[in-house]
Amino acid sequence: MAVIVALGAFLMTLAGGWTAQRVTDRRHLVLGLAGGLMLGVVGLDLLPEALHAAGRDVFGVPLALLLFVAGFLAAHLVERLLAVRQASHGGSNGAGHGHDHGGRVPQVGLTAAAAMVGHSLADGVALGVAFQVGGGMGVAVALAVITHDFADGFNTYTLTTLYGNARRKALMMLFADAAAPVVGAASTALFTLPEEPLGAYLGFFGGALLYLAAAEILPEAHHEHPALSTLMCTVGGVAGIWLVVGLAD
């Protein structure tokens, strides 16, 4: 049953990526929506789940929150190191390049998309474990996974292309993200991932995702089109994730 539900998540992820791909003429709205979806996923889904799963304290601070901050700093550090490396090899924002990708490093987009794939894999594992616990738990987790995998697919494609990667690579990461829940759900027939490491991973990934949303995607969305419609797309993205989380509970 978990694998069958994961196939639904596979289709929803592809639908999210297809949507992001088709609305390129409204790129600022796509980025605004993607930023809102990512903010909602982090604040309303990933972080609460991480705090619940990895609840123990380290020197007075929950482990999940420490890793959340570490993930944010790690994303910032990786981006800065790659940017310095690109500059040292002659990369620049030079004239004629405009602001197509804002001097962003393609590897950052691929790394972020790979993290999304890891998150989707964890979704699949959570789905399989939930069905092992009981049917009611399985249905609740299935609803959450299937509905927010649309946002995952949307964000995976948007992140990859935002950093200047070719459409082929974006589609490759999208398909990997779509397949990840199926693989994760199937793997629970062989082993069970302990709750605390899963929570720790979600905390770290949430911090990295928040950095990308706040420092990259949302500023880019408002760079050329600081319109009210872009802001409303961001708010709508957050509200959409809130609705998904509420329905899942």
Side-chain angles (χ1 to χ4, degrees):
M1 178 60 71
V3 174
I4 293 173
V5 172
L7 289 173
F10 174 89
L11 296 175
M12 285 295 286
T13 303
L14 293 182
W18 179 85
T19 301
Q21 184 182 176
R22 296 292 294 179
V23 290
T24 52
D25 58 329
R26 292 288 184 268
R27 185 169 178 268
H28 59 292
L29 298 180
V30 171
L31 293 175
L33 178 61
L37 290 172
M38 291 169 70
L39 177 59
V41 166
V42 171
L44 307 178
D45 185 18
L46 288 181
L47 196 52
E49 187 175 342
L51 285 168
H52 174 74
R56 69 183 180 89
D57 287 1
V58 177
F59 202 63
V61 178
L63 174 63
L65 289 182
L66 285 174
L67 289 170
F68 177 78
V69 174
F72 188 98
L73 292 175
H76 177 59
L77 179 63
V78 167
E79 186 186 39
R80 290 297 88 207
L81 288 176
L82 289 174
V84 169
R85 181 171 176 267
Q86 184 190 49
S88 69
H89 285 76
S92 69
N93 295 344
H97 288 72
H99 294 280
D100 288 344
H101 305 295
R104 292 183 171 84
V105 185
Q107 292 93 324
V108 173
L110 291 175
T111 301
M116 294 295 294
V117 174
H119 168 52
S120 294
L121 184 67
D123 277 349
V125 172
L127 185 60
V129 171
F131 273 102
Q132 290 177 5
V133 171
M137 175 68 73
V139 170
V141 173
L143 178 62
V145 168
I146 289 178
T147 48
H148 95 245
D149 270 3
F150 179 88
D152 283 354
F154 190 100
N155 290 335
T156 297
Y157 187 88
T158 302
L159 279 170
T160 309
T161 54
L162 176 65
Y163 283 83
N165 290 286
R167 179 174 176 270
R168 176 181 59 82
K169 289 185 178 180
L171 290 174
M172 179 183 69
M173 297 308 298
L174 175 63
F175 276 99
D177 188 46
V182 181
V183 174
S187 71
T188 58
L190 304 175
F191 68 91
T192 301
L193 187 66
E195 187 178 43
E196 187 168 311
L198 178 61
Y201 165 77
L202 291 176
F204 185 86
F205 171 58
L209 201 61
L210 180 63
Y211 175 81
L212 293 173
E216 299 294 333
I217 289 185
L218 290 177
E220 178 72 10
H222 291 276
H223 175 64
E224 296 180 1
H225 297 275
L228 179 61
S229 57
T230 306
L231 177 61
M232 294 308 296
C233 282
T234 302
V235 174
V238 175
I241 296 299
W242 187 13
L243 178 63
V244 167
V245 171
L247 290 174
D249 287 343

